[in-house]
Structure formats: C-alpha cells, structure tokens
Amino acid sequence: MSGVGPVEPGEGTRAWDTVEPAPPFLPGTPRERLTSLYARHRRAVLASTTVVALVAGGGYLFATRPHDPPPPEAPNPSQAVSITYLGQEGTPAGAPSRSFSFAVKVTAQDGPTITVVRISQPYASLSLTSVPPPPFRTKPGFGHKIVVTMHVTECANVPSNAAFPFLDVTLRNTRAIEDHSFILGERYAHDLSEALQVACSNDSRSSPKR
C-alpha cells in the first residue's frame, strides 16, 4: 500500500514553532507614525527623568532638613539654687554654751541634681555645723530644711551689729563647682545680731569677777 506521509519538518524548524507577531500597525502616513513613536519615547524618558529628580530631591531635602537643637547646657549651680531664711530653732542638746540655731530652706530648680559641698560663714569668731551635715544632695523642685548651729568661739571679735550677714555655700552640679555667698535678708541679720548679743552677754555674766 502506498501513500503520502506527513510532511517532515525541515532542518532547523519545529512543527510547534510560532511566527513572531508583527509589530502593531500604526495608522497614518510614515511621517505620522514616526512622530507618534517619538512622542511615546519622549514620554517614557520624561517619566524616568521625573522619578530620578524626585529621588534626588528627596535625598537633598533629607540631607538639608533642620536638625534638633542640642539640649541646653546645665546652669551654674549658684544660678539654680535659692536659700531662704526660715527663722530661729531650738539649740540642739549637747551643743556647747554660746551656741544658737536657725533654719534655712535650700531649693534647687529643675535641672541636674545639686550637691551642697560645704556651708560656712564669714566671721572668724564663729564656728558652724548643720543638720544634715554636708555634703548632701538636693532634689530638684523641692525645698530642703537645713538647721544651722553657730557657736561663738571668741566674744571679743564678734561684730556688734551684723548688718549684712551671709552664708558661704559651696555647690556642685554636672557643669561646675563654685563658692557663692547668699544674703538671707534683714530678718536673718536681726536674729543673728540678737543671738550674738545674748550669747556673749550670758558669757560675761557667767565669768568670775576680778
């Protein structure tokens, strides 16, 4: 029996090969088609350029944006502390004769903790102690009561009128350590003058007559 078999594919071909689709037909004259292709290409280029510009602009804005300002530097400790005179206090038990006590309030403003390193007074004829004894820390925003006791060591050199008395206080915070003189006002000056007179007059009355 004879017949014609299926056609074998030629060399380099496959039966399932498909033909590449022709590019879409653009209507119009060749010049119009060229203009349309150019317009499409130009829009693609412009879109790409816009994306690049936006990315570059965003990077520039990120690099030049304002930065947060650094935190403010802590003030000097004397500028962040106030000392207020509260009045006379009872002399503590066991204090030597010619002693008297008064209270002050130490208040630290908002900011780093301040340490009271030392409390003293300007008169050589007086010694001073306090409760609590320094050094001690002050908690910002709260008043701390300090009881100061003075002892007259030599009445001959005690001022007859303590018109402008003050306390010398050494303070320390994270910025500096400094000595500062705090004037406590007229009430403190009056009470101090009176206490000195009483202490030394009692001492003179208790001394034996020659």
Side-chain angles (χ1 to χ4, degrees), residues 25 38 44 57 69-70 75 79 82 87 97 100 109 111 127 130 143 154 156 160 168:
F25 175 77
Y38 172 76
Q79 297 174 343
S82 63
S97 61
F100 55 91
Q109 310 303 321
S127 64
S130 70
E154 188 179 356
S160 58
D168 291 325

Side-chain angles (χ1 to χ4, degrees), residues 1 4 16 25 49 53 64 80 98 107 123 137 165 175-176 185 192:
M1 181 176 181
V4 178
W16 54 84
F25 175 77
T49 304
T64 58
R98 299 183 298 187
T107 304
Y123 302 117
R137 306 178 74 185
R175 178 174 181 176
L192 178 60

Side-chain angles (χ1 to χ4, degrees), residues 181-192:
S181 297
F182 290 89
I183 298 176
L184 302 182
E186 294 182 2
R187 183 183 169 203
Y188 171 67
H190 175 270
D191 290 350
L192 178 60

Side-chain angles (χ1 to χ4, degrees), residues 111-130:
T113 299
I114 294 177
T115 300
V116 177
V117 179
R118 185 175 65 92
I119 302 175
S120 62
Q121 49 76 43
Y123 302 117
S125 55
L126 296 176
S127 64
L128 180 151
T129 58
S130 70

Side-chain angles (χ1 to χ4, degrees), residues 189-207:
H190 175 270
D191 290 350
L192 178 60
S193 296
E194 185 178 74
L196 291 173
Q197 292 175 7
V198 170
C200 288
S201 62
N202 290 342
D203 180 72
S204 62
R205 286 197 298 269
S206 63
S207 299

Side-chain angles (χ1 to χ4, degrees), residues 78-97:
S78 64
Q79 297 174 343
V81 166
S82 63
I83 298 182
T84 307
Y85 178 63
L86 297 180
Q88 295 176 322
E89 290 278 325
T91 304
S97 61

